[in-house]
Amino acid sequence: KIVVFFIHPFFIRGISFIITSFNTQFIIKQLKAYGKNPNIMFPITTNGLENISIGDNFSLCARARIETYSKHLDNKYTPEMIFGDNVNIGYDCHIGCVNKVIIGNNVLMASKIFITDHFHGDTSIDSLKLPPNDRKVTSKGSVIIEDNVWIGEGVAIMPNVTIGANSIIGANSVVTKDIPKNSVVAGNPARVIKNIDLEK
């Protein structure tokens, strides 16, 4: 005989909710600070949670890598990663920090986004003689994403970049320099393709 068991979808959703709630609590207790109503899906890869703060209604989808590093090889850093209120981050995103990454309020991110404030080494001869992971991690500057920014699928945001408020970053863009507020940008490297007039 073949016995078929039917599991009601409400039961599966209930189990999923319990697991997500448990895992969220496990993560947030390790953070520097956290707000109300966080929601973190698993699996997730983390490092240096003690350097990370999240605001109210923070939402993070599965398979994320959220990492700060206070040390690499013999080099020490003082990283700070801050998420404002109502930040929603899609699947498979990677945010890395040895310096400072600040993400404002009401920021929405699609999936497969990469944000970093650092590089492995530079283009000097001495650096290039070493394997990449043995090169000194360096930061050219902070990454700051201001309020009400929408970041599309597959975007990469490089060090020493500020993205102005109310901007939209098109899918697969590579942001290598500051973006003025109220801008629509796209491309590799990303460039402004439209200015948004909020006075209309």
Side-chain angles (χ1 to χ4, degrees):
K1 290 183 178 181
I2 298 175
V3 179
V4 178
F5 292 96
F6 175 75
I7 301 176
H8 198 282
F10 286 121
F11 177 78
I12 295 173
R13 283 192 210 117
I15 293 296
S16 177
F17 175 79
I18 291 169
I19 292 172
T20 297
S21 298
F22 175 80
N23 288 335
T24 295
Q25 292 301 312
F26 175 76
I27 289 292
I28 67 170
K29 295 299 183 184
Q30 301 177 65
L31 296 173
K32 182 177 181 180
Y34 59 90
K36 297 179 291 186
N37 304 316
N39 185 55
I40 299 172
M41 296 174 62
F42 275 60
I44 179 176
T45 300
T46 65
N47 192 78
L49 290 172
E50 67 275 9
N51 304 310
I52 300 173
S53 301
I54 63 174
D56 295 341
N57 306 313
F58 175 80
S59 178
L60 178 66
C61 289
R63 300 184 301 277
R65 287 177 60 189
I66 306 296
E67 302 166 318
T68 73
Y69 288 91
S70 299
K71 184 178 180 182
H72 178 258
L73 303 177
D74 294 327
N75 305 296
K76 295 183 179 179
Y77 309 93
T78 53
E80 184 177 25
M81 189 181 294
I82 300 172
F83 298 90
D85 296 336
N86 308 311
V87 173
N88 289 272
I89 303 173
Y91 291 89
D92 302 293
C93 290
H94 179 195
I95 305 175
C97 173
V98 299
N99 181 0
K100 186 175 290 186
V101 174
I102 300 176
I103 296 173
N105 301 321
N106 306 311
V107 172
L108 177 62
M109 300 185 196
S111 300
K112 300 177 182 176
I113 291 167
F114 175 53
I115 300 171
T116 184
D117 68 356
H118 60 278
F119 297 109
H120 275 272
D122 52 37
T123 56
S124 67
I125 298 299
D126 288 341
S127 181
L128 294 175
K129 287 180 179 178
L130 299 171
N133 198 46
D134 291 340
R135 299 170 191 167
K136 182 180 179 180
V137 170
T138 58
S139 175
K140 287 186 176 180
S142 305
V143 173
I144 300 173
I145 300 171
E146 296 181 349
D147 296 347
N148 304 315
V149 171
W150 158 229
I151 303 173
E153 191 89 2
V155 168
I157 299 174
M158 298 292 101
N160 196 31
V161 161
T162 295
I163 296 176
N166 308 311
S167 291
I168 299 170
I169 314 300
N172 298 314
S173 298
V174 179
V175 183
T176 60
K177 61 182 181 180
D178 291 352
I179 303 299
K181 65 180 182 178
N182 308 326
S183 298
V184 179
V185 305
N188 179 8
R191 61 183 181 85
V192 176
I193 59 174
K194 183 180 180 180
N195 295 307
I196 304 168
D197 186 355
L198 298 181
E199 300 302 319
K200 289 184 178 180

